[in-house]
Amino acid sequence: MSDTLQQLAGQALMVDVAGPRLGEEEAAFLQRLGARAICLFRRNVPDEASIRRLIADLQCALGEDILIGMDQEGGAVMRTLFLPAAPSAMALGAVDDPELAAQVGAAVARGLASLGVNWNFAPVLDLNNNPANPVISERSFGEDPLKAARLARAWISGHLSEGVACCVKHFPGHGDTHTDSHLDLPVVDKPKAELRDYELSPFAALADLAPGMMSAHIRFPTLDADWPATLSPAILQQLLREQLGYQGVMITDGMNMKAIRERWGQAQGSAQALAAGADLSLVLQFQDEMEDSKQALIAAVAAGRLSEARLQEAAARVDALIQRYPSRQRDYSAAQRAADAELFADAWRRALTLHGQPQRPPADATLRLVVQDQAPSDGVSEAGLSADALIARLSRRFSLDVIRYQQREELDWRRLPQDGRYTVVASTTRERYGARERAEWRPDLHLALWNPYAAADLDAPALISYGFADAALDAVAQWLAGEIDAAGVLPARLQ
């Protein structure tokens, strides 16, 4: 076995690290593995000083020519708490202003560049054609493929102008699923022509611009009867490379997700993904499976299932990405940071959308706020909105009578005081409502603060914010107080 093959196999993996500090043992493991692509999560980025030190330590251990990736989409998928909180894609869809999208993309990149992150796994090009989708919703620009592509092109162009690469996802489209691929293997069984005209449309439109693309762990029987997209030569090589002419870096979604790991394992999945046309396999969470994945690539070459030339092609694409978008920490002045925060706040305000005909509360009214005490993470996004955070924002303008609950089934609407007080239900999770809530809950106003589709689930008018960043909550409070209007337009049908 040649040293070159060892090197190529290590370079075909993107892996994660345990925490905000790179210890000697972990650094030595990464050196042995030969990886040069690292994916960061919330646990790695508690504050600016920590992430800058971590990236500097990674460069010291692995060399300066490394790829540091992170999910910084905006909305609920923002790995940093300390940078200005960008609006979600659907918030931008509600505003429908490409110039604003470009400015937001650039501002997101400025924050990442200040840390040394040089690859952002964003934006999402999946389309909102399935209200029951458990994982996309506000992460998408909307349901119209032309509009989504127009806004995404502007966002990407702004982002790239600041010297940070993007990675669109999830090819060939995760919008029309009822299943989260973190938990199982979704199937989208549609005719080829329908996929071409809809799901594939934004990816085809942006194939000339996006320097990176992430595959979906989804099976599309009309495109490949056997393999999910991540493992499919028909999808990654024939469709993406040959038909769409895509020349950028193709990375898999996380191979630790159950859709792949429970069926093929991260190691054999990595070998099949590289053979199918991926350039990087995103192997996460388990060091032994990272090492096994490297060995699986080497074994696949020995067995003739994967060529060394294919690994060389993959390495060359990643080389080009790193050279064009190097990991270098840049200055982010206080003035620029404040300007970006105000840009985002303006976008959150402009995105506010009415569903039905909600009436604001009377002046000087006490609001009865019905809210879940602590909203959990959905496994993709970060933790949801805590009741305390919402209460703090609303109490600046209103007196509140707060009704907290831990789980929805605990709340018996009939036991709320029937005193005519203006009652607000706040939806702070991605979870949809069921028949019981639809039949019994009767608020004066439904605040849909996370999943916009929840606005259709209660028999009440709604205010939709597409996210729960502090600036989004400020905008909600301003609308309630009559200080601003809600001018956003729903970019997707809710039912």
Side-chain angles (χ1 to χ4, degrees):
M1 176 175 45
S2 69
D3 291 342
T4 299
L5 180 55
Q6 283 270 8
Q7 181 182 36
L8 290 171
Q11 290 180 345
L13 306 177
M14 175 174 255
V15 300
D16 58 345
V17 293
R21 298 297 296 265
L22 185 67
E24 291 183 8
E25 287 188 14
E26 193 168 34
F29 169 78
L30 293 175
Q31 290 168 343
R32 291 194 305 274
L33 189 67
R36 57 172 174 173
I38 306 296
C39 183
L40 301 182
F41 293 90
R42 173 67 66 83
R43 66 179 184 271
N44 304 118
V45 296
D47 54 66
E48 294 184 58
S50 294
I51 184 175
R52 288 196 180 102
R53 181 183 60 229
L54 174 60
I55 292 176
D57 288 346
L58 286 166
Q59 290 176 330
C60 184
L62 305 178
E64 290 191 354
D65 292 334
I66 61 175
L67 199 52
I68 304 295
M70 192 161 71
D71 294 288
Q72 198 83 333
E73 298 173 12
V77 185
M78 289 280 287
R79 299 306 185 209
T80 59
L81 288 173
F82 48 83
L83 292 175
S88 63
M90 202 184 239
L92 293 174
V95 180
D96 194 16
D97 181 349
E99 182 179 352
L100 176 66
Q103 292 170 346
V104 167
V108 169
R110 279 193 289 271
L112 292 175
S114 73
L115 307 175
V117 174
N118 56 337
W119 202 18
N120 186 4
F121 298 129
V124 167
L125 295 189
D126 307 316
L127 298 170
N128 286 119
N129 58 331
N130 186 345
N133 191 307
V135 71
I136 300 300
S137 61
E138 85 293 340
R139 299 169 64 198
S140 162
F141 287 101
E143 68 177 355
D144 185 316
L146 296 178
K147 175 179 168 180
R150 182 175 68 249
L151 291 172
R153 178 173 286 277
W155 195 99
I156 293 169
S157 297
H159 198 282
L160 298 182
S161 73
E162 292 291 334
V164 179
C166 294
C167 182
V168 297
K169 56 191 183 185
H170 305 82
F171 182 82
H174 205 314
D176 195 10
T177 66
H178 291 76
T179 305
D180 180 356
S181 52
H182 290 81
L183 306 177
D184 205 345
L185 179 62
V187 177
V188 176
D189 195 2
K190 288 183 170 182
K192 281 186 180 180
E194 191 173 335
L195 292 170
R196 179 198 64 218
D197 294 342
Y198 193 74
E199 275 83 358
L200 283 166
S201 177
F203 293 98
L206 296 171
D208 65 326
L209 181 63
M213 191 173 293
M214 180 177 285
S215 65
H217 299 332
I218 299 174
R219 202 163 67 82
F220 296 83
T222 59
L223 301 180
D224 190 324
D226 301 316
W227 296 107
T230 292
L231 309 180
S232 169
I235 294 175
L236 298 190
Q237 182 59 37
Q238 296 168 25
L239 175 58
L240 180 64
R241 299 295 189 193
E242 297 171 15
Q243 294 180 34
L244 298 185
Y246 185 65
Q247 297 300 313
V249 172
M250 165 55 70
I251 184 172
T252 72
D253 206 343
M255 301 296 271
N256 64 328
M257 294 161 62
K258 290 184 179 181
I260 299 296
R261 187 170 182 260
E262 289 191 349
R263 288 166 175 77
W264 296 274
Q266 295 204 83
Q268 294 307 313
S270 294
Q272 177 61 29
L274 267 292
D279 300 309
L280 282 170
S281 181
L282 183 55
V283 181
L284 302 173
Q285 196 171 359
F286 307 101
Q287 283 194 356
D288 59 335
E289 295 181 21
M290 297 173 192
E291 179 58 39
D292 289 347
S293 296
K294 177 180 178 179
Q295 296 307 317
L297 294 175
I298 293 169
V301 172
R305 299 189 305 273
L306 174 66
S307 70
E308 190 167 325
R310 171 80 267 279
L311 291 179
Q312 289 173 337
E313 176 187 56
R317 287 199 183 106
V318 177
D319 283 339
L321 185 69
I322 293 172
Q323 293 305 313
R324 186 175 180 186
Y325 302 99
S327 171
R328 303 287 185 269
Q329 295 176 3
R330 299 204 323 240
D331 180 57
Y332 194 27
S333 70
Q336 183 64 68
R337 184 184 300 239
D340 290 343
E342 178 50 37
L343 170 72
F344 294 163
D346 181 59
W348 285 115
R349 288 190 292 267
R350 293 172 64 186
L352 284 181
T353 301
L354 301 179
H355 178 64
Q357 296 180 314
Q359 302 298 313
R360 292 184 174 96
D364 300 322
T366 295
L367 305 188
R368 176 168 292 120
L369 175 65
V370 181
V371 61
Q372 186 168 346
D373 194 52
Q374 176 60 54
S377 166
D378 68 342
V380 178
S381 310
E382 304 301 343
L385 177 65
S386 74
D388 289 341
L390 179 59
I391 290 166
R393 275 318 197 260
L394 295 183
S395 62
R396 296 176 183 177
R397 288 176 170 81
F398 298 97
S399 296
L400 299 178
D401 169 21
V402 180
I403 308 293
R404 296 176 185 247
Y405 60 90
Q406 299 299 320
Q407 302 293 332
R408 288 179 181 174
E409 55 268 22
E410 298 174 6
L411 182 66
D412 185 346
W413 193 265
R414 294 167 298 183
R415 295 192 176 186
L416 268 61
Q418 303 300 309
D419 53 8
R421 180 164 288 174
Y422 188 96
T423 301
V424 177
V425 164
S427 294
T428 59
T429 73
R430 198 184 288 285
E431 183 183 5
R432 299 287 299 272
Y433 289 92
R436 184 184 74 90
E437 293 88 358
R438 190 174 298 113
E440 297 178 5
W441 292 21
R442 289 290 184 271
D444 295 291
L445 178 67
H446 178 190
L447 297 180
L449 302 178
W450 190 342
N451 187 346
Y453 291 101
D457 292 344
L458 298 182
D459 186 14
L463 179 68
I464 302 171
S465 66
Y466 309 99
F468 49 85
D470 286 348
L473 300 184
D474 285 337
V476 167
Q478 289 169 329
W479 181 86
L480 283 166
E483 297 168 14
I484 61 173
D485 291 326
V489 176
L490 275 167
R493 288 163 291 185
L494 297 185
Q495 293 176 316

